[in-house]
Amino acid sequence: MSTTQMLKGIIDGCILAIIHEKEVYGYELAERLEQYGFDSFSEGTIYPLLMRMQKEELVTSTLKKSIAGPKRKYYSLTVKGEQELQQFIVRWESLQKSVNSVLQTKGQKNE
Amino acid sequence: MSTTQMLKGIIDGCILAIIHEKEVYGYELAERLEQYGFDSFSEGTIYPLLMRMQKEELVTSTLKKSIAGPKRKYYSLTVKGEQELQQFIVRWESLQKSVNSVLQTKGQKNE
DNA sequence: ATCGTATATCTTGTAATGCAAGGTAAATTT
DNA sequence: AAATTTACCTTGCATTACAAGATATACGAT
């Protein structure tokens, strides 16, 4: 049981949320996720995921020149992506509630 | 993106937490998880998971007669299982914090 | 007795997905 | 021109939730 397993299906939503703020490119996304406290994200995770989301029409991409390096592929949310984000939030809150109610049954600290 | 993917690596911890309260058998566990608000749990999920956890020496099992039906296999936590539970709680809280900080960046309701 | 139902466990195969490892390429610096 | 940094992509593996199906025990009704 590792942290990586806990992320399955959750990174998707987090990435949608980050793109929702403003368009980002993959390489930048990895850095942003780390800032939010996630363990460093492999590019082998992020790029396939972005491509999958584009295939599912949750995001669109446009290439833009970089000041240093090859072109950046910027992603933004589609309407469908916005909806998916909202649904993710609902699912996440539900999951969070269930897990916390299981965990707090045992007096895990004070009280 | 479905709820089931979000559960990967999380059910483990929830099951440890439930067994921590008091010993349970698999069939009962499925019902308990539903009570906590999880979507119904397949037995194809629970039994393999319990066996895996026993293999990893997180739980032990003992057979007991049932009033109606075949023998029940009751599971309880080992010391290692207790430790794993504590570690899960730490990981869960960390994950929760990260995901929520990503999500709340967008004003998802009030304020 | 036998059949159906509820209880209880296990096995097999499939799909999803995080990620390590490796590859390609462009721009800047040395 | 060689190295470094930025940036993207691909392949293959390991993990795991779950549907579907098999097996077995106890009890009540026919």
Side-chain angles (χ1 to χ4, degrees):
Chain A
M1 190 159 65
S2 63
T3 312
T4 103
Q5 286 300 325
M6 292 174 54
L7 290 172
K8 299 216 180 218
I10 292 181
I11 317 182
D12 309 52
C14 293
I15 288 181
L16 288 176
I18 289 178
I19 299 179
H20 171 87
E21 294 172 49
K22 75 176 202 332
E23 59 173 16
V24 289
Y25 55 98
Y27 198 81
E28 185 187 6
L29 196 54
E31 294 168 349
R32 298 281 293 281
L33 283 166
E34 271 189 76
Q35 288 169 11
Y36 279 113
F38 291 99
D39 294 329
S40 69
F41 267 94
S42 166
E43 295 170 15
T45 299
I46 287 176
Y47 289 113
L49 211 160
L50 285 170
M51 288 188 293
R52 197 183 81 220
M53 294 202 297
Q54 184 162 29
K55 202 172 184 178
E56 291 168 0
E57 298 181 332
L58 302 175
V59 297
T60 53
S61 64
T62 51
L63 288 172
K64 294 187 186 178
K65 283 178 189 168
S66 167
I67 33 167
K71 288 184 180 176
R72 296 169 175 169
K73 192 182 276 187
Y74 281 87
Y75 289 90
S76 13
L77 293 195
T78 61
V79 173
K80 198 174 167 189
E82 297 280 357
Q83 290 168 352
E84 184 63 32
L85 172 57
Q86 294 309 317
Q87 286 167 26
F88 168 76
I89 291 174
V90 172
R91 281 203 307 279
W92 166 251
E93 283 175 354
S94 169
L95 174 66
Q96 206 177 184
K97 194 175 164 186
S98 296
V99 173
N100 284 333
S101 76
V102 168
L103 291 184
Q104 78 193 20
T105 304
K106 53 180 305 304
Q108 78 203 38
K109 247 178 222 164
N110 38 9
E111 149 231 341
Chain B
M1 191 156 67
S2 64
T3 313
T4 104
Q5 286 300 323
M6 291 174 54
L7 290 171
K8 300 219 180 218
I10 292 181
I11 318 183
D12 308 52
C14 293
I15 287 181
L16 288 176
I18 289 177
I19 299 178
H20 172 87
E21 293 173 51
K22 78 176 201 330
E23 59 173 17
V24 290
Y25 56 99
Y27 198 81
E28 185 188 5
L29 195 54
E31 294 167 351
R32 298 283 294 281
L33 283 166
E34 272 189 74
Q35 288 168 12
Y36 279 114
F38 291 99
D39 294 329
S40 70
F41 266 94
S42 166
E43 296 165 13
T45 300
I46 288 175
Y47 290 112
L49 210 160
L50 285 170
M51 289 187 291
R52 197 181 81 218
M53 293 203 296
Q54 184 161 30
K55 201 173 185 179
E56 291 169 359
E57 297 181 333
L58 302 175
V59 297
T60 54
S61 64
T62 53
L63 288 172
K64 294 186 185 178
K65 283 178 189 167
S66 166
I67 33 165
K71 288 184 178 174
R72 296 169 175 168
K73 192 182 275 185
Y74 282 88
Y75 289 90
S76 12
L77 293 194
T78 61
V79 173
K80 198 174 167 190
E82 298 279 357
Q83 290 168 353
E84 184 63 32
L85 172 56
Q86 294 309 317
Q87 286 167 26
F88 167 76
I89 292 174
V90 171
R91 281 202 307 279
W92 166 250
E93 284 176 353
S94 170
L95 174 66
Q96 205 177 185
K97 193 175 165 187
S98 296
V99 173
N100 285 332
S101 77
V102 169
L103 292 184
Q104 78 193 20
T105 303
K106 51 180 306 300
Q108 78 204 39
K109 244 178 226 162
N110 39 10
E111 149 234 340

